[in-house]
Amino acid sequence: MDTPVICEKEYLRIVAEFDFLWGRRTTMRERTRMDYLITLINVFDAALAAEPAEN
């Protein structure tokens, strides 16, 4: 498997930042940031889903 773009610790930080922005009125710059963050979140989630399950 390819190395993930971000590590789990960074993923958790990104999710927290996204959640913070989601719950408030945002500027165009913040909405652009949210688009970027959700892309990273989706890539990380897809990489996890692609990993074979350990038995």
Side-chain angles (χ1 to χ4, degrees):
M1 182 183 114
D2 294 335
T3 304
V5 175
I6 56 175
C7 67
E8 186 173 358
K9 186 175 180 180
E10 184 70 4
Y11 169 81
L12 294 173
R13 189 198 63 75
I14 289 168
V15 169
E17 181 181 350
F18 183 86
D19 287 346
F20 171 77
L21 292 170
W22 180 263
R24 57 178 268 180
R25 184 174 234 156
T26 56
T27 65
M28 179 58 89
R29 183 175 181 192
E30 289 169 325
R31 287 190 295 273
T32 300
R33 174 77 177 158
M34 288 174 72
D35 288 342
Y36 175 69
L37 295 174
I38 200 66
T39 298
L40 291 175
I41 291 167
N42 288 336
V43 167
F44 187 86
D45 288 343
L48 281 181
E51 286 183 4
E54 293 182 26
N55 290 333

